């Protein structure tokens, strides 16, 4: 593989997005979502972005690298819906980051972020892409988790840890609890749409009801004993 030109951005989370990078990633996302991984080439990405193939190669180096950076860019939208800088997907529940936030405020803020991410981005289509491709290309699912869902879940776990330390939750396994809460929300607001369960989606409960019940259920299990501190 030939070396990249000196205008190539640094790899990983520290890379600086140029206007060309953003055009490439937007074009790549449109193509991957429409035609899956095998149906996309650097030539097609370049054509859709209005750039040369060499420019795409210089900026990213391979189709796999374009896909990985597209995944990273996709998950940055979660941070944006939490009021965080783009690219900082690990920071969640920013609306409830104050030291005096209650457990309910933290849970509702996080659930609202999950809801907005599903409603306002290509998350549903993106999840379908990952499900469709993961059997043939396991690294796609691994990157989807490593660059996005994993850090989001870990950061939410950290927030639950802070609530436990403050006496606002009584939760012996916050990693388990974090994923339980995500499941309570996503089982109704995300997965029926990912799997295209049309009737179930149409007949499902109102999203506000889903979030209310998820918060109530979680607190019924993990609220601290009476007299041990605020919940």
């Amino acid at each position: 593989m030939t070396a990249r030109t000196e205008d190539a951005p640094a790899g990983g989370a520290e890379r600086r997005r140029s206007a060309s990078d953003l055009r490439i990633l937007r074009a790549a996302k449109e193509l991957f979502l429409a035609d899956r991984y095998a149906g996309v080439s650097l030539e097609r990405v370049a054509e859709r972005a209005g750039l040369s193939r060499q420019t795409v190669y210089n900026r990213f180096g391979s189709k796999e690298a374009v896909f990985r950076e597209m995944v990273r860019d996709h998950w940055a939208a979660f941070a944006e819906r939490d009021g965080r800088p783009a690219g900082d997907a690990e920071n969640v529940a920013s609306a409830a980051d104050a030291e005096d936030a209650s457990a309910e405020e933290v849970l509702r803020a996080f659930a609202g972020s999950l809801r907005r991410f599903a409603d306002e981005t290509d998350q549903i289509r993106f999840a379908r892409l990952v499900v469709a491709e993961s059997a043939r290309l396991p690294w796609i699912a691994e990157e989807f988790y490593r660059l996005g869902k994993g850090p989001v879940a870990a950061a939410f776990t950290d927030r639950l840890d802070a609530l436990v330390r403050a006496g606002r939750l009584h939760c012996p396994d916050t990693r388990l609890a974090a994923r339980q809460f995500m499941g309570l929300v996503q089982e109704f607001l995300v997965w029926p749409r990912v799997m295209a369960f049309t009737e179930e989606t149409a007949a499902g409960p109102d999203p506000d009801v889903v979030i209310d019940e998820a918060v109530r259920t979680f607190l019924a299990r993990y609220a601290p004993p009476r007299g041990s501190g605020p919940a």
Side-chain angles (χ1 to χ4, degrees), residues 20-111:
S20 294
D21 289 341
L22 295 175
R23 288 169 62 183
I24 292 166
L25 293 175
R26 282 195 296 267
K29 189 173 188 178
E30 292 171 3
L31 291 171
F32 282 123
L33 289 178
D35 299 329
R36 306 305 189 199
Y37 188 81
V40 179
S41 65
L42 290 185
E43 288 81 3
R44 291 194 66 202
V45 172
E47 181 180 4
R48 178 66 65 92
L51 300 167
S52 69
R53 183 193 183 282
Q54 189 62 44
T55 297
V56 176
Y57 178 79
N58 287 343
R59 300 303 291 176
F60 294 94
S62 68
K63 182 174 77 169
E64 182 175 322
V66 171
F67 190 94
R68 292 176 190 274
E69 289 304 308
M70 181 197 65
V71 172
R72 189 191 305 279
D73 193 66
H74 169 76
W75 278 100
F78 186 94
E80 291 170 356
R81 279 151 184 79
D82 259 348
R84 297 288 188 166
D88 193 12
E90 294 186 13
N91 292 307
V92 299
S94 65
D97 270 347
E99 288 298 319
D100 60 350
S102 69
E104 181 175 349
E105 288 170 333
V106 171
L107 295 171
R108 288 189 181 279
F110 183 68

Side-chain angles (χ1 to χ4, degrees), residues 8 22 29 46-47 61 63 76 89 110 116-117 122 125 130 154-155 173 177 180 182 185 187 190 193 195 201 208 211:
L22 295 175
K29 189 173 188 178
E47 181 180 4
K63 182 174 77 169
F110 183 68
R116 289 190 297 274
F117 191 50
D122 291 314
R125 294 178 65 202
V130 172
D173 188 341
Q180 286 174 330
M182 293 173 73
V185 175
E187 173 64 20
V190 175
R193 295 165 62 188
M195 302 306 294
T201 300
D208 289 335
I211 292 174

Side-chain angles (χ1 to χ4, degrees), residues 4 6 22 28 33 49 63 79 97 129 133 163 184 203 206-207 223:
R4 299 185 192 181
E6 63 181 8
L22 295 175
L33 289 178
K63 182 174 77 169
D97 270 347
L129 168 63
E133 297 284 29
L163 290 168
L184 287 170
D206 183 87

